[in-house]
């Protein structure tokens, strides 16, 4: 009898403990998810995955009517601003023991520009709209409250109204596998995401810096502007290959801004980085979009846009100027003859001699300045001379020159720019 009473008491105690003791850490919900639209989902994923407490991200599509969206279909519909287009979206899973939804949303607001409607930076279309797709009443409340807080900060900074769509999540469609963690797998990929530069009040994470357009009054009448982005290894390659060695007469400047220099005008929106735009008198004259490491392709583009018709015929069509007509034929001043496109030095004046042929002639180029190529055009077998930097045609080289090389580099005057020594007084 006593044993039965003991067992009953023990059972009651176990039952009481099961209701009164706090749940173990394993039973407490440790994560939650929210779906966000911030423009290009590659950049959104990179930015949000770096937020403390975010444990998983997945890119996809949300907010549209199609039951089988693909990157191609969403992009096509978005570029035409078709109604009910899916937005490029990001599902963010965060550890609720480390961070809160409010903190995740604070990072969301300040890591993109929520005032642009159907675009984000250089990316234009309804698929790039700003959006919060909530899955509960508490998420909706947090979205609206943080929106109002950030709007006050934006208004104080002189910026416009938030256009972010705040709507229930109907479905989230994961994007194709190659889009997942794209910028980790493809560090050279383009990311057009940028913020307003306005921090979310009370948020400890630094806001991305917003960059003002260049001042057009401080630039040249003929000016190249390189439009870059923060996450852009192609931009770094262009900087290393081209800009770091810049010697061309055409001015060049770079910016993270997505707008033309103040007072100047672009013909159309930018959509990739780097984009190199040639401005003439404050107006876009030409643009070169992207950079794949092909230096001579870039220089050819610049040469086509900046050289005269006579120079282009020689540089790109292997033309030849009439003998005894070139402006550099009888030049005897001290200095360097340089590539008219890249500005790189080709010949020194003390290596020039009078060959009597009617073209400027040199017996020795500067080291590494030229590339020689077999030329069998016009029924003859000759050696063509190209500029190593820009790849433009300069002339030909023959074996009837003076000592010590015995070479005669016969060069068209029109594709030589002379730069006199500063101490030279004859020019």
């Amino acid at each position: 009898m006593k044993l039965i009473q003991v067992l009953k008491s023990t059972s009651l105690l176990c039952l009481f403990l099961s209701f009164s003791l706090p749940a173990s850490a394993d039973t407490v919900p440790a994560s939650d998810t929210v779906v966000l639209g911030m423009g290009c989902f590659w950049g959104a994923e990179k930015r949000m995955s770096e937020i403390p407490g975010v444990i998983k991200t997945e890119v996809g599509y949300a907010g549209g009517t199609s039951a089988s969206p693909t990157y191609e279909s969403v992009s096509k519909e978005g570029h035409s601003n078709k109604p009910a287009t899916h937005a490029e979206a990001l599902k963010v899973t965060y550890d609720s023991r480390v961070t809160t939804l409010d903190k995740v949303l604070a990072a969301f607001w300040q890591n993109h520009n929520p005032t642009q409607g159907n675009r984000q930076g250089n990316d234009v279309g309804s698929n790039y709209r700003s959006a919060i797709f909530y899955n509960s009443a508490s998420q909706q409340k947090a979205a609206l409250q943080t929106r109002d807080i950030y709007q006050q900060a934006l208004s104080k900074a002189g910026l416009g109204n938030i256009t972010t769509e705040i709507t229930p999540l109907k479905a989230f469609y994961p994007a194709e596998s190659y889009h997942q963690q794209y910028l980790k797998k493809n560090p050279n990929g383009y990311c057009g995401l940028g913020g307003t530069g306005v921090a979310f009040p009370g948020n400890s994470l630094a806001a991305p810096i917003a960059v003002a357009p260049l001042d057009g009054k401080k630039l040249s009448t003929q000016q190249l502007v390189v439009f870059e982005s923060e996450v852009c290894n192609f931009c770094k390659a262009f900087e290393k290959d081209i800009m770091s060695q810049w010697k061309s007469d055409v001015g060049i400047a770079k910016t993270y801004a997505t707008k033309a220099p103040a007072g100047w005008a672009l013909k159309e929106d930018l959509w990739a980085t780097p984009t190199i735009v040639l401005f003439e008198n404050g107006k876009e004259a030409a643009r070169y979009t992207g950079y794949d490491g092909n230096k001579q392709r870039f220089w050819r583009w610049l040469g086509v846009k900046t050289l005269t018709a006579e120079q282009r015929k020689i540089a790109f069509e292997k033309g030849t100027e009439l003998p005894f007509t070139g402006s550099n034929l009888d030049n005897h001043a001290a200095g360097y003859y340089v590539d008219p496109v890249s500005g790189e030095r080709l010949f020194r004046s003390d290596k020039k001699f009078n060959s009597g042929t009617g073209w400027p002639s040199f017996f020795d180029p500067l080291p590494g300045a030229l590339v020689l190529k077999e030329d069998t055009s016009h029924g003859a077998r000759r050696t063509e001379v190209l500029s190593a930097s820009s790849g433009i045609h300069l002339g030909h080289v023959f074996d009837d020159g003076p000592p010590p090389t015995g070479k005669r580099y016969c060069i068209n005057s029109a594709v030589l720019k002379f730069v006199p020594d500063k101490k030279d007084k004859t020019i």
Side-chain angles (χ1 to χ4, degrees):
M1 186 68 177
K2 290 183 178 180
L3 179 60
I4 294 175
Q5 290 177 337
V6 170
L7 289 175
K8 285 183 178 180
S9 299
T10 304
S11 298
L12 289 171
L13 178 61
C14 290
L15 181 62
F16 170 76
L17 290 175
S18 68
F19 281 102
S20 62
L21 290 179
S24 68
D26 291 337
T27 63
V28 175
S31 66
D32 198 0
T33 63
V34 62
V35 176
L36 308 168
M38 302 170 63
C40 167
F41 53 21
W42 298 343
E45 182 169 49
K46 182 180 188 302
R47 291 280 179 86
M48 297 303 289
S49 65
E50 295 170 350
I51 304 302
V54 171
I55 56 178
K56 182 181 178 181
T57 55
E58 183 179 21
V59 298
Y61 314 104
T65 56
S66 171
S68 56
T70 65
Y71 186 72
E72 289 73 19
S73 68
V74 169
S75 297
K76 184 178 180 180
E77 292 179 0
H79 291 161
S80 61
N81 287 324
K82 182 179 178 181
T85 300
H86 282 290
E88 291 193 14
L90 175 70
K91 180 189 286 186
V92 178
T93 302
Y94 59 95
D95 188 334
S96 56
R97 297 168 300 184
V98 178
T99 190
T100 64
L101 176 61
D102 284 352
K103 290 182 179 180
V104 172
L105 292 178
F108 160 80
W109 290 117
Q110 71 176 32
N111 272 286
H112 76 302
N113 188 335
T115 70
Q116 294 184 310
N118 287 340
R119 69 175 297 164
Q120 192 61 216
N122 297 330
D123 298 318
V124 181
S126 57
N127 55 316
Y128 296 118
R129 67 190 183 274
S130 174
I132 299 175
F133 301 101
Y134 59 83
N135 60 33
S136 67
S138 60
Q139 283 197 353
Q140 180 189 24
K141 181 179 179 181
L144 294 173
Q145 288 180 339
T146 56
R147 178 198 64 186
D148 293 344
I149 292 171
Y150 197 54
Q151 181 63 70
Q152 291 179 7
L154 292 177
S155 298
K156 187 176 181 180
L159 299 179
N161 293 329
I162 288 175
T163 60
T164 302
E165 175 185 355
I166 298 178
T167 188
L169 177 66
K170 296 179 180 178
F172 175 82
Y173 300 91
E176 297 81 349
S177 60
Y178 74 92
H179 287 297
Q180 307 298 334
Q181 302 294 329
Y182 184 86
L183 290 180
K184 284 187 178 181
K185 295 182 288 187
N186 301 275
N188 286 330
Y190 163 67
C191 168
L193 201 62
T196 61
V198 177
F200 189 92
N203 187 25
S204 61
L205 297 176
I209 298 174
V211 182
L214 296 171
D215 185 351
K217 295 180 180 179
K218 296 181 179 180
L219 302 176
S220 305
T221 55
Q222 187 178 57
Q223 177 77 46
L224 286 170
V225 175
V226 183
F227 292 90
E228 301 183 343
S229 63
E230 294 177 78
V231 185
C232 175
N233 283 1
F234 288 128
C235 301
K236 295 176 183 177
F238 186 79
E239 172 85 29
K240 178 183 177 182
D241 295 348
I242 304 294
M243 289 190 68
S244 65
Q245 305 168 53
W246 193 260
K247 298 181 180 67
S248 172
D249 283 345
V250 181
I252 192 166
K254 63 179 181 177
T255 181
Y256 284 159
T258 59
K259 296 181 179 179
W264 289 16
L266 288 164
K267 286 185 177 179
E268 57 186 31
D269 291 322
L270 305 168
W271 59 271
T273 56
T275 293
I276 303 95
V277 178
L278 176 65
F279 290 94
E280 293 181 350
N281 297 314
K283 296 181 180 180
E284 179 181 340
R287 70 172 59 187
Y288 187 93
T289 301
Y291 178 70
D292 61 359
N294 190 327
K295 294 187 284 187
Q296 290 191 356
R297 182 183 299 168
F298 167 78
W299 288 120
R300 179 182 178 89
W301 169 81
L302 184 61
V304 168
K305 300 303 178 182
T306 58
L307 296 179
T308 66
E310 179 189 13
Q311 288 177 312
R312 290 197 299 271
K313 186 173 181 61
I314 295 169
F316 305 120
E317 300 176 27
K318 297 184 181 180
T320 303
E321 65 193 10
L322 293 174
F324 300 102
T325 62
S327 60
N328 286 309
L329 177 62
D330 297 320
N331 180 26
H332 303 293
Y336 289 93
Y337 293 86
V338 306
D339 183 315
V341 182
S342 69
E344 290 288 348
R345 294 173 173 178
L346 302 173
F347 300 97
R348 177 68 192 167
S349 57
D350 57 10
K351 308 298 183 182
K352 186 171 181 281
F353 70 100
N354 184 2
S355 65
T357 60
W359 291 281
S361 299
F362 304 85
F363 60 83
D364 198 15
L366 289 168
L370 307 179
V371 170
L372 304 183
K373 183 179 178 182
E374 184 179 6
D375 180 8
T376 57
S377 61
H378 305 293
R381 194 179 190 87
R382 297 176 295 175
T383 301
E384 181 185 8
V385 177
L386 306 170
S387 169
S389 60
S390 68
I392 65 170
H393 171 82
L394 300 172
H396 292 85
V397 59
F398 302 94
D399 295 323
D400 56 2
T405 64
K407 299 292 184 180
R408 173 171 61 91
Y409 293 86
C410 186
I411 308 299
N412 289 279
S413 182
V415 287
L416 290 176
K417 179 177 181 266
F418 181 69
V419 179
D421 292 339
K422 292 182 179 180
K423 64 181 179 179
D424 196 298
K425 304 298 183 181
T426 63
I427 297 299

